[in-house]
Amino acid sequence: MLSQRMNDALNEQVKWELYSSYMYLSMSSYFLDKGLAGFANWMRIQAQEELFHAMRFFDFIGERGGRAVLHPVDAPPAEWKNPLDAFTHTLEHERLVTSRINDLVNVAIEEKDHATNIFLQWFVTEQVEEEDSVNDVLNKLRLINGEGQGMLMLDKDLATRVFTPPTTA
Ligand code: FEO
């Protein structure tokens, strides 16, 4: 059984994951509008992953006898200065999510909730991968420095990303 404090903190995270999905979908739309279909695809897959994260939290709350209460999700921005700005925002956002996951682990430890702590470890690892993959694109964007040929090559590369439900084992 989840404590009320743990339940509330997990409900808050469902909202954050849904907001993340919403924001990446907005970025996907932004990139489509700029004619960068590969970037748009990368963000669309990212949005799907975030929805998957939200559902993992939602399902876990139910499995532990808690109650998932859904909060309003803010509207994400619709515009960024350029692709570098969008990916810089993405990295900042993922770092924020990482710190939120760490806070959740702290609550689980304080509440002596070992099951939630174990559940959260998957997200601790996932955040390392998420930050790394965003950093990878960001580094390439810095190297390319807005040059047309490089942007087209990167766009082609990002078009190959596919959604595979992350392994939870
Ligand atoms: Fe669900 Fe990108 O963190």
Side-chain angles (χ1 to χ4, degrees), residues 16-152:
W16 271 82
E17 300 292 346
L18 288 174
Y19 175 78
S20 301
S21 183
Y22 221 33
M23 187 176 87
Y24 294 135
L25 203 55
S26 182
M27 285 187 181
S28 182
S29 168
Y30 162 80
F31 281 119
L32 265 185
D33 188 55
K34 301 287 171 214
L36 292 165
F39 281 81
N41 173 66
W42 195 96
M43 283 298 174
R44 188 189 174 100
I45 303 294
Q46 190 67 20
Q48 282 179 276
E49 287 206 357
E50 300 300 351
L51 194 54
F52 179 89
H53 294 168
M55 293 314 296
R56 284 210 70 198
F57 277 102
F58 180 89
D59 290 341
F60 180 75
I61 293 165
E63 283 164 15
R64 295 290 313 287
R67 175 77 209 276
V69 176
L70 301 178
H71 300 301
V73 179
D74 291 341
E79 291 296 334
W80 289 268
K81 278 183 268 178
N82 49 44
L84 184 67
D85 183 41
F87 270 87
T88 302
H89 185 182
T90 299
L91 184 61
E92 283 166 4
H93 182 73
E94 286 305 326
R95 285 179 175 160
L96 192 59
V97 172
T98 299
S99 81
R100 294 196 57 84
I101 297 287
N102 290 339
D103 288 346
L104 283 173
V105 173
N106 290 337
V107 173
I109 290 168
E110 284 165 23
E111 295 291 299
K112 299 185 171 54
D113 186 340
H114 301 289
T116 300
N117 190 1
I118 290 168
F119 166 76
L120 289 168
Q121 295 310 306
W122 183 87
F123 285 93
V124 172
T125 308
E126 175 75 359
Q127 282 309 119
V128 174
E129 286 173 25
E130 293 239 319
E131 285 190 30
D132 185 51
S133 69
V134 175
N135 242 326
D136 183 54
V137 179
L138 204 45
N139 284 336
K140 285 174 180 155
L141 278 170
R142 287 194 188 108
L143 275 174
I144 291 165
N145 200 20
E147 184 269 318
Q149 189 70 19
M151 285 299 286
L152 286 177

